[in-house]
Amino acid sequence: MILQASRRLALEAALDADGLDAALITARPNIRYLTGFTGSSGALWLSRVGAPTLITDFRYDEQARDEVSSPTAVHIARGPWMGALSDVVRESVGRCGFEAETVTVADHERLAEILPDVELVPLRDLVETIRRVKDSTEIEAIERAVRVAETALNRTLSGIDWHDRPTERSVAVALELELRRQGSEALPFDAIVASGPRSALPHAMPSDREIEMGDLVLIDFGARVDGYCSDITRTFVVGAPADWQSGIHAHVLEAQELARSAALAGAACRSVDARAREALARHDEDQYFGHSTGHGIGLEVHEGPSLATRSEDSLEVGNVVTVEPGVYLPGKGGVRIEDDVLVAETGPRTLTNLPRELTQL
Ligand code: ZN
Ligand code: ZN
């Protein structure tokens, strides 16, 4: 596939820059990105000489041959893939990169045994950096993951009678089922449904708490299509909102809109984060916003670039990031609004279409 060849060219340039003769790619999303292989066990051997080779075991024989195309070769190991490495590595290799985030200490010991004359060099974010810039196929997949998630939320909410005091868990289960019904692959993360005072816990897992009249209900959820994730949050209110609830919701929305409009190619990620924080500071609420403003999405639900106070990243055309400021008042409740935004040549393009104003359930 030409697409994947262009990704490998970018990778080869990165290897050159690091003075590496070869690299062993072991992170599943990176293997998928470079070869199309979706199996759960295997590694990709890349070197200056010879074809890139996906090594996997007999369980994935047919799948690998189906998903992986020339020039990448497929090598089927009789046992665990690492055992076949010495059959694949025929050339002499001086420096070989390995992925520090996925190779365990035990794997590293075995690698050093199998490749005794090779200098093993830890790599961080080598493929991840290339993955930050999405091509049109990837953007389309993310857009479809957004549509699936939005349809699933609308259908789920319209099927619930809020007078019945449903539990957070029952709403989350209904939403997860609907996400799968609408076509999501394995969900990128468990849906968060947090109500009343629990909405002030930014990563609350759904509990058996019954959702009551007057509660804020924070729902953070996503779908996965062709491997690509969406990640969306909306905060609702059951019945009419109290003044403090509409107040923090309006402030979060203002911060979120400002941050989204700042997601321009060339912008420092920390400046996007700062826009949200400054907006909340005007209402003296920035101290209730404890997490970062956003993160990249793609084959993983959390990837680069990071929209955080200390981020060294800059935005580039083709990045897809979440923008998700929140205000969490301990013991009372919280609001988060999260959209998925494409950094396009023409400016930020928000991929999410769900209404953002405070909606009564
Ligand atoms: Zn989220
Ligand atoms: Zn997120």
Side-chain angles (χ1 to χ4, degrees), residues 76-88:
I76 301 299
R78 268 191 284 274
W81 66 263
M82 209 186 279
L85 200 53
S86 49
D87 298 330
V88 170

Side-chain angles (χ1 to χ4, degrees), residues 189 203 220 231-233 294-295 297 301-302 322 324 336 338:
F189 58 96
H203 281 96
D220 188 347
D231 181 9
I232 305 171
T233 307
H295 52 86
I297 54 171
V301 72
H302 286 106
T322 69
E324 50 176 309
R336 176 165 68 251
E338 175 178 28

Side-chain angles (χ1 to χ4, degrees), residues 240-264:
D243 286 347
W244 69 270
Q245 292 171 326
S246 8
I248 59 171
H249 192 280
H251 303 157
V252 171
L253 183 54
E254 181 193 338
Q256 206 254 9
E257 284 173 347
L258 284 168
R260 270 192 291 136
S261 64
L264 297 160

